[in-house]
Amino acid sequence: MSDEATPRFQGKGPMVSMTVKDLKASLDWYHGVVGFGISQKFEHEGEVRTVVLNAGGVMILLNQDDGAKGWDRKKGQGLSMTITTEDVDAVAEGIKAAGGTLEAEPEDKPWGARMFPLTDPDGFKWAISTPMT
């Protein structure tokens, strides 16, 4: 997905920083499948260790895990992050067109939002939702 086609999420929220097992796989998913633009890359000893991604007002930092706490530890348990957009269905279709998988199709919820869930390669949970009214 080109940066011109980056979904336009609304709002300014907290910046999310996540430690990931495989930075390249996570970058492929967040940039290539979900459509975040790449703002910056930071190297340490010749290797990319952190990538800053953005889409609209949403900013995510992906940091390469160094394995010091073990490679098999679970990430993202008990946490779900929400990104809002006016066109949930277009974002869902873009993710599927790029080869991504949704946990469920977009649906209208009783509290007035339209949303769908998805999970990144490390198990971090996301919800893409219309703004709550």
Side-chain angles (χ1 to χ4, degrees):
M1 182 177 277
S2 73
D3 288 343
E4 292 174 326
T6 300
R8 299 295 171 207
F9 298 113
Q10 288 83 37
K12 300 242 184 245
M15 178 174 36
V16 177
S17 179
M18 298 181 295
T19 301
V20 298
K21 187 173 184 176
D22 182 337
L23 184 59
K24 183 184 178 329
S26 292
L27 184 57
D28 288 347
W29 191 81
Y30 281 95
H31 178 65
V33 175
V34 181
F36 277 82
I38 299 171
S39 294
Q40 291 180 288
K41 293 182 179 181
F42 297 96
E43 293 185 10
H44 180 69
E45 297 179 356
E47 288 187 40
V48 176
R49 303 294 293 174
T50 299
V51 177
V52 180
L53 304 169
N54 68 34
V58 177
M59 187 177 293
I60 298 173
L61 272 72
L62 297 177
N63 304 291
Q64 176 62 57
D65 194 339
D66 64 4
K69 294 183 179 180
W71 290 110
D72 294 328
R73 68 185 166 113
K74 299 253 184 211
K75 295 181 174 22
Q77 289 183 322
L79 173 71
S80 177
M81 297 167 278
T82 301
I83 300 172
T84 60
T85 181
E86 293 295 333
D87 198 345
V88 167
D89 294 285
V91 173
E93 289 305 315
I95 289 170
K96 291 189 292 187
T101 303
L102 310 179
E103 297 294 320
E105 290 295 319
E107 65 179 353
D108 295 326
K109 297 296 185 180
W111 54 89
R114 182 165 181 76
M115 63 190 306
F116 68 91
L118 68 161
T119 303
D120 86 351
D122 282 288
F124 289 107
K125 305 287 185 188
W126 289 92
I128 308 299
S129 175
T130 57
M132 292 181 28
T133 56

